[in-house]
Short mmCIF file of all heavy atoms in Angstrom, two decimals:
data_model
loop_
_atom_site.label_atom_id
_atom_site.label_comp_id
_atom_site.label_asym_id
_atom_site.label_seq_id
_atom_site.Cartn_x
_atom_site.Cartn_y
_atom_site.Cartn_z
N ALA A 1 66.62 18.55 -48.46
CA ALA A 1 65.28 19.10 -48.29
C ALA A 1 65.31 20.50 -47.69
O ALA A 1 64.47 21.34 -48.03
CB ALA A 1 64.43 18.17 -47.43
N ILE A 2 66.25 20.75 -46.82
CA ILE A 2 66.26 22.04 -46.13
C ILE A 2 66.63 23.19 -47.05
O ILE A 2 66.28 24.33 -46.77
CB ILE A 2 67.18 22.01 -44.89
CG1 ILE A 2 68.63 21.73 -45.27
CG2 ILE A 2 66.67 20.99 -43.88
CD1 ILE A 2 69.59 21.87 -44.09
N ILE A 3 67.32 22.91 -48.13
CA ILE A 3 67.61 23.96 -49.09
C ILE A 3 66.68 23.91 -50.29
O ILE A 3 66.53 24.91 -50.99
CB ILE A 3 69.08 23.96 -49.54
CG1 ILE A 3 69.45 22.68 -50.27
CG2 ILE A 3 70.00 24.18 -48.34
CD1 ILE A 3 70.84 22.71 -50.87
N PHE A 4 66.06 22.77 -50.54
CA PHE A 4 65.16 22.64 -51.67
C PHE A 4 63.81 23.28 -51.38
O PHE A 4 63.25 23.99 -52.23
CB PHE A 4 64.98 21.16 -52.04
CG PHE A 4 64.22 20.95 -53.32
CD1 PHE A 4 64.88 20.93 -54.53
CD2 PHE A 4 62.85 20.76 -53.29
CE1 PHE A 4 64.18 20.73 -55.71
CE2 PHE A 4 62.14 20.56 -54.47
CZ PHE A 4 62.81 20.55 -55.68
N SER A 5 63.30 23.02 -50.20
CA SER A 5 61.97 23.51 -49.85
C SER A 5 61.95 25.03 -49.91
O SER A 5 62.83 25.71 -49.38
CB SER A 5 61.58 23.04 -48.47
OG SER A 5 61.53 21.63 -48.41
N ARG A 6 60.93 25.56 -50.57
CA ARG A 6 60.69 26.99 -50.67
C ARG A 6 61.77 27.74 -51.43
O ARG A 6 61.81 28.97 -51.39
CB ARG A 6 60.49 27.62 -49.29
CG ARG A 6 59.38 26.98 -48.45
CD ARG A 6 58.00 27.21 -49.06
NE ARG A 6 57.72 28.63 -49.25
CZ ARG A 6 57.25 29.44 -48.32
NH1 ARG A 6 56.98 28.98 -47.09
NH2 ARG A 6 57.03 30.71 -48.60
N SER A 7 62.63 27.02 -52.10
CA SER A 7 63.75 27.65 -52.80
C SER A 7 63.54 27.62 -54.30
O SER A 7 63.09 26.63 -54.86
CB SER A 7 65.06 26.94 -52.47
OG SER A 7 65.38 27.06 -51.10
N THR A 8 63.90 28.73 -54.92
CA THR A 8 64.03 28.73 -56.37
C THR A 8 65.26 27.93 -56.76
O THR A 8 66.33 28.08 -56.17
CB THR A 8 64.13 30.17 -56.90
OG1 THR A 8 62.88 30.83 -56.69
CG2 THR A 8 64.47 30.19 -58.38
N MET A 9 65.08 27.07 -57.74
CA MET A 9 66.18 26.26 -58.24
C MET A 9 66.56 26.74 -59.62
O MET A 9 65.70 27.16 -60.42
CB MET A 9 65.78 24.79 -58.29
CG MET A 9 65.34 24.21 -56.95
SD MET A 9 66.67 24.20 -55.72
CE MET A 9 67.82 23.04 -56.47
N CYS A 10 67.84 26.67 -59.91
CA CYS A 10 68.38 27.24 -61.13
C CYS A 10 69.33 26.27 -61.80
O CYS A 10 70.03 25.51 -61.14
CB CYS A 10 69.15 28.53 -60.86
SG CYS A 10 68.28 29.74 -59.82
N TRP A 11 69.36 26.34 -63.12
CA TRP A 11 70.41 25.70 -63.90
C TRP A 11 71.22 26.78 -64.60
O TRP A 11 70.67 27.66 -65.26
CB TRP A 11 69.83 24.74 -64.94
CG TRP A 11 69.32 23.46 -64.38
CD1 TRP A 11 68.03 23.13 -64.13
CD2 TRP A 11 70.11 22.32 -64.02
NE1 TRP A 11 67.95 21.86 -63.63
CE2 TRP A 11 69.21 21.34 -63.55
CE3 TRP A 11 71.48 22.03 -64.05
CZ2 TRP A 11 69.64 20.08 -63.11
CZ3 TRP A 11 71.90 20.79 -63.61
CH2 TRP A 11 70.98 19.84 -63.15
N TYR A 12 72.52 26.69 -64.42
CA TYR A 12 73.47 27.53 -65.12
C TYR A 12 74.32 26.65 -66.03
O TYR A 12 74.38 25.44 -65.87
CB TYR A 12 74.41 28.25 -64.15
CG TYR A 12 73.79 29.38 -63.36
CD1 TYR A 12 73.02 29.14 -62.24
CD2 TYR A 12 74.03 30.70 -63.72
CE1 TYR A 12 72.47 30.17 -61.50
CE2 TYR A 12 73.49 31.74 -62.99
CZ TYR A 12 72.72 31.48 -61.88
OH TYR A 12 72.19 32.51 -61.15
N ARG A 13 74.99 27.29 -66.95
CA ARG A 13 75.99 26.58 -67.73
C ARG A 13 77.18 27.49 -67.97
O ARG A 13 77.06 28.71 -68.01
CB ARG A 13 75.42 26.07 -69.06
CG ARG A 13 75.00 27.15 -70.04
CD ARG A 13 74.31 26.51 -71.24
NE ARG A 13 73.89 27.50 -72.21
CZ ARG A 13 73.15 27.23 -73.27
NH1 ARG A 13 72.75 25.98 -73.52
NH2 ARG A 13 72.81 28.20 -74.11
N GLN A 14 78.32 26.86 -68.12
CA GLN A 14 79.54 27.59 -68.39
C GLN A 14 80.38 26.79 -69.36
O GLN A 14 80.78 25.66 -69.08
CB GLN A 14 80.32 27.86 -67.11
CG GLN A 14 81.51 28.78 -67.33
CD GLN A 14 82.05 29.36 -66.04
OE1 GLN A 14 81.84 28.81 -64.96
NE2 GLN A 14 82.73 30.49 -66.16
N ALA A 15 80.62 27.39 -70.49
CA ALA A 15 81.49 26.80 -71.50
C ALA A 15 82.88 27.38 -71.36
O ALA A 15 83.06 28.51 -70.88
CB ALA A 15 80.94 27.07 -72.90
N PRO A 16 83.89 26.64 -71.78
CA PRO A 16 85.26 27.16 -71.70
C PRO A 16 85.40 28.50 -72.40
O PRO A 16 84.96 28.67 -73.54
CB PRO A 16 86.10 26.08 -72.38
CG PRO A 16 85.30 24.83 -72.21
CD PRO A 16 83.86 25.27 -72.31
N GLY A 17 85.99 29.45 -71.71
CA GLY A 17 86.21 30.76 -72.28
C GLY A 17 84.99 31.64 -72.34
O GLY A 17 85.06 32.75 -72.90
N LYS A 18 83.88 31.19 -71.78
CA LYS A 18 82.65 31.96 -71.81
C LYS A 18 82.16 32.26 -70.40
O LYS A 18 82.50 31.56 -69.45
CB LYS A 18 81.56 31.24 -72.60
CG LYS A 18 81.83 31.13 -74.09
CD LYS A 18 80.62 30.59 -74.82
CE LYS A 18 80.84 30.60 -76.32
NZ LYS A 18 79.64 30.09 -77.05
N GLN A 19 81.37 33.28 -70.31
CA GLN A 19 80.78 33.67 -69.04
C GLN A 19 79.72 32.66 -68.61
O GLN A 19 79.02 32.08 -69.43
CB GLN A 19 80.17 35.07 -69.18
CG GLN A 19 79.73 35.71 -67.89
CD GLN A 19 79.25 37.13 -68.12
OE1 GLN A 19 79.20 37.63 -69.23
NE2 GLN A 19 78.87 37.80 -67.04
N ARG A 20 79.63 32.46 -67.31
CA ARG A 20 78.56 31.62 -66.79
C ARG A 20 77.21 32.22 -67.13
O ARG A 20 76.99 33.42 -66.99
CB ARG A 20 78.72 31.46 -65.27
CG ARG A 20 77.76 30.48 -64.65
CD ARG A 20 78.04 30.34 -63.17
NE ARG A 20 77.82 31.59 -62.47
CZ ARG A 20 78.23 31.84 -61.23
NH1 ARG A 20 78.90 30.91 -60.56
NH2 ARG A 20 77.98 33.01 -60.68
N GLU A 21 76.30 31.38 -67.54
CA GLU A 21 75.03 31.81 -68.08
C GLU A 21 73.90 31.13 -67.33
O GLU A 21 73.89 29.91 -67.16
CB GLU A 21 74.96 31.46 -69.57
CG GLU A 21 73.65 31.79 -70.26
CD GLU A 21 73.64 31.31 -71.70
OE1 GLU A 21 74.16 30.21 -71.97
OE2 GLU A 21 73.12 32.06 -72.55
N LEU A 22 72.93 31.92 -66.91
CA LEU A 22 71.73 31.36 -66.32
C LEU A 22 70.84 30.80 -67.42
O LEU A 22 70.45 31.52 -68.34
CB LEU A 22 70.99 32.44 -65.53
CG LEU A 22 69.67 32.04 -64.87
CD1 LEU A 22 69.88 30.93 -63.85
CD2 LEU A 22 69.01 33.25 -64.22
N VAL A 23 70.53 29.53 -67.31
CA VAL A 23 69.77 28.83 -68.34
C VAL A 23 68.28 28.81 -68.02
O VAL A 23 67.45 29.09 -68.88
CB VAL A 23 70.30 27.40 -68.52
CG1 VAL A 23 69.44 26.62 -69.51
CG2 VAL A 23 71.75 27.43 -68.96
N ALA A 24 67.95 28.46 -66.80
CA ALA A 24 66.55 28.30 -66.43
C ALA A 24 66.41 28.38 -64.93
O ALA A 24 67.32 28.04 -64.18
CB ALA A 24 65.99 26.96 -66.93
N THR A 25 65.26 28.82 -64.50
CA THR A 25 64.92 28.86 -63.08
C THR A 25 63.51 28.31 -62.90
O THR A 25 62.68 28.35 -63.81
CB THR A 25 64.97 30.28 -62.49
OG1 THR A 25 63.97 31.10 -63.10
CG2 THR A 25 66.35 30.91 -62.71
N ILE A 26 63.27 27.81 -61.71
CA ILE A 26 61.92 27.39 -61.35
C ILE A 26 61.71 27.73 -59.88
O ILE A 26 62.51 27.39 -59.02
CB ILE A 26 61.68 25.89 -61.65
CG1 ILE A 26 60.22 25.52 -61.38
CG2 ILE A 26 62.65 25.00 -60.89
CD1 ILE A 26 59.82 24.18 -61.99
N THR A 27 60.63 28.41 -59.61
CA THR A 27 60.31 28.79 -58.25
C THR A 27 59.75 27.61 -57.48
O THR A 27 59.44 26.56 -58.04
CB THR A 27 59.30 29.94 -58.22
OG1 THR A 27 58.03 29.47 -58.69
CG2 THR A 27 59.77 31.11 -59.08
N SER A 28 59.63 27.80 -56.18
CA SER A 28 59.04 26.75 -55.36
C SER A 28 57.62 26.43 -55.78
O SER A 28 57.16 25.30 -55.57
CB SER A 28 59.08 27.15 -53.89
OG SER A 28 58.33 28.34 -53.66
N GLY A 29 56.93 27.40 -56.37
CA GLY A 29 55.59 27.18 -56.85
C GLY A 29 55.50 26.63 -58.26
O GLY A 29 54.39 26.37 -58.74
N GLY A 30 56.63 26.45 -58.92
CA GLY A 30 56.65 25.83 -60.22
C GLY A 30 56.69 26.78 -61.41
O GLY A 30 56.53 26.33 -62.55
N THR A 31 56.89 28.06 -61.17
CA THR A 31 56.99 29.01 -62.26
C THR A 31 58.38 28.95 -62.87
O THR A 31 59.37 29.14 -62.18
CB THR A 31 56.68 30.42 -61.78
OG1 THR A 31 55.35 30.46 -61.25
CG2 THR A 31 56.80 31.41 -62.91
N ALA A 32 58.43 28.71 -64.16
CA ALA A 32 59.69 28.53 -64.86
C ALA A 32 60.02 29.73 -65.73
O ALA A 32 59.13 30.38 -66.29
CB ALA A 32 59.65 27.28 -65.72
N ASN A 33 61.30 30.00 -65.84
CA ASN A 33 61.81 31.01 -66.75
C ASN A 33 63.05 30.47 -67.44
O ASN A 33 63.78 29.66 -66.87
CB ASN A 33 62.14 32.30 -66.01
CG ASN A 33 60.91 33.07 -65.60
OD1 ASN A 33 60.30 33.74 -66.42
ND2 ASN A 33 60.54 32.95 -64.33
N TYR A 34 63.28 30.95 -68.66
CA TYR A 34 64.35 30.41 -69.50
C TYR A 34 65.13 31.51 -70.18
O TYR A 34 64.58 32.57 -70.52
CB TYR A 34 63.78 29.50 -70.59
CG TYR A 34 63.00 28.33 -70.06
CD1 TYR A 34 61.62 28.42 -69.88
CD2 TYR A 34 63.64 27.15 -69.72
CE1 TYR A 34 60.90 27.35 -69.38
CE2 TYR A 34 62.93 26.07 -69.22
CZ TYR A 34 61.56 26.18 -69.05
OH TYR A 34 60.85 25.12 -68.56
N GLU A 35 66.39 31.23 -70.38
CA GLU A 35 67.21 32.07 -71.23
C GLU A 35 66.70 31.92 -72.67
O GLU A 35 66.26 30.84 -73.08
CB GLU A 35 68.67 31.66 -71.11
CG GLU A 35 69.67 32.67 -71.65
CD GLU A 35 69.89 32.51 -73.14
OE1 GLU A 35 69.83 31.36 -73.64
OE2 GLU A 35 70.13 33.52 -73.80
N ASP A 36 66.77 32.99 -73.42
CA ASP A 36 66.14 33.00 -74.74
C ASP A 36 66.63 31.87 -75.65
O ASP A 36 65.85 31.29 -76.41
CB ASP A 36 66.37 34.34 -75.43
CG ASP A 36 65.54 35.45 -74.83
OD1 ASP A 36 64.57 35.17 -74.11
OD2 ASP A 36 65.87 36.63 -75.09
N SER A 37 67.90 31.57 -75.58
CA SER A 37 68.46 30.61 -76.52
C SER A 37 67.97 29.18 -76.29
O SER A 37 68.13 28.33 -77.18
CB SER A 37 69.99 30.64 -76.47
OG SER A 37 70.47 30.12 -75.24
N VAL A 38 67.37 28.90 -75.14
CA VAL A 38 66.90 27.55 -74.86
C VAL A 38 65.39 27.45 -74.82
O VAL A 38 64.85 26.35 -74.66
CB VAL A 38 67.50 27.00 -73.55
CG1 VAL A 38 69.00 27.14 -73.54
CG2 VAL A 38 66.88 27.67 -72.33
N LYS A 39 64.71 28.56 -74.97
CA LYS A 39 63.26 28.53 -74.95
C LYS A 39 62.72 27.62 -76.05
O LYS A 39 63.16 27.67 -77.19
CB LYS A 39 62.69 29.94 -75.12
CG LYS A 39 62.84 30.81 -73.90
CD LYS A 39 62.25 32.19 -74.14
CE LYS A 39 62.39 33.07 -72.91
NZ LYS A 39 61.91 34.45 -73.15
N GLY A 40 61.77 26.80 -75.68
CA GLY A 40 61.20 25.85 -76.61
C GLY A 40 61.96 24.56 -76.74
O GLY A 40 61.46 23.61 -77.36
N ARG A 41 63.17 24.51 -76.21
CA ARG A 41 63.99 23.31 -76.28
C ARG A 41 64.23 22.67 -74.92
O ARG A 41 64.28 21.45 -74.81
CB ARG A 41 65.34 23.62 -76.93
CG ARG A 41 65.24 24.16 -78.34
CD ARG A 41 66.61 24.25 -79.00
NE ARG A 41 67.51 25.15 -78.28
CZ ARG A 41 68.68 24.78 -77.75
NH1 ARG A 41 69.09 23.52 -77.86
NH2 ARG A 41 69.44 25.66 -77.13
N PHE A 42 64.40 23.50 -73.90
CA PHE A 42 64.68 23.01 -72.56
C PHE A 42 63.45 23.19 -71.68
O PHE A 42 62.70 24.16 -71.83
CB PHE A 42 65.84 23.77 -71.92
CG PHE A 42 67.19 23.52 -72.52
CD1 PHE A 42 67.35 22.82 -73.71
CD2 PHE A 42 68.32 24.01 -71.87
CE1 PHE A 42 68.61 22.61 -74.25
CE2 PHE A 42 69.58 23.80 -72.40
CZ PHE A 42 69.73 23.10 -73.59
N THR A 43 63.27 22.28 -70.76
CA THR A 43 62.20 22.37 -69.79
C THR A 43 62.75 22.10 -68.40
O THR A 43 63.35 21.04 -68.17
CB THR A 43 61.07 21.39 -70.09
OG1 THR A 43 60.56 21.62 -71.40
CG2 THR A 43 59.93 21.55 -69.08
N ILE A 44 62.57 23.03 -67.51
CA ILE A 44 62.94 22.83 -66.12
C ILE A 44 61.70 22.40 -65.35
O ILE A 44 60.60 22.89 -65.59
CB ILE A 44 63.57 24.11 -65.52
CG1 ILE A 44 64.15 23.83 -64.13
CG2 ILE A 44 62.58 25.26 -65.49
CD1 ILE A 44 64.98 24.98 -63.58
N SER A 45 61.89 21.47 -64.45
CA SER A 45 60.80 20.99 -63.63
C SER A 45 61.35 20.59 -62.26
O SER A 45 62.56 20.49 -62.08
CB SER A 45 60.07 19.81 -64.29
OG SER A 45 60.95 18.71 -64.47
N ARG A 46 60.45 20.37 -61.34
CA ARG A 46 60.89 19.95 -60.02
C ARG A 46 59.92 18.93 -59.45
O ARG A 46 58.71 18.98 -59.73
CB ARG A 46 61.04 21.15 -59.06
CG ARG A 46 59.76 21.90 -58.77
CD ARG A 46 60.06 23.24 -58.09
NE ARG A 46 60.64 23.09 -56.77
CZ ARG A 46 61.42 24.00 -56.17
NH1 ARG A 46 61.72 25.13 -56.80
NH2 ARG A 46 61.89 23.77 -54.95
N ASP A 47 60.46 18.02 -58.69
CA ASP A 47 59.70 17.02 -57.98
C ASP A 47 59.94 17.29 -56.50
O ASP A 47 60.98 16.93 -55.96
CB ASP A 47 60.13 15.62 -58.38
CG ASP A 47 59.28 14.53 -57.76
OD1 ASP A 47 58.63 14.77 -56.72
OD2 ASP A 47 59.24 13.42 -58.32
N ASN A 48 58.98 17.92 -55.88
CA ASN A 48 59.17 18.32 -54.49
C ASN A 48 59.25 17.12 -53.55
O ASN A 48 59.90 17.19 -52.50
CB ASN A 48 58.06 19.26 -54.06
CG ASN A 48 58.14 20.60 -54.76
OD1 ASN A 48 59.21 21.03 -55.19
ND2 ASN A 48 57.01 21.28 -54.88
#
């Protein structure tokens, strides 16, 4: 809870031989952003 509260949460992914990639973020207020390749397919959410 001490790191979750008021924190933006992120999902990254890293495939072998590839650079780590930011996939999605969600702010403490619930605003989500996505990497272009996953838009429309992935949904980030949070349960505070």
Side-chain angles (χ1 to χ4, degrees):
I2 62 173
I3 63 173
F4 188 87
S5 299
R6 304 293 304 276
S7 296
T8 292
M9 302 296 295
C10 311
W11 286 100
Y12 287 80
R13 65 186 180 187
Q14 187 164 23
K18 292 188 175 181
Q19 190 175 2
R20 187 177 63 194
E21 177 184 39
L22 178 62
V23 175
T25 65
I26 185 165
T27 69
S28 61
T31 300
N33 286 282
Y34 301 92
E35 195 275 327
D36 287 343
S37 69
V38 308
K39 286 180 179 176
R41 300 189 298 120
F42 291 10
T43 303
I44 188 171
S45 62
R46 64 193 294 155
D47 185 337
N48 292 334

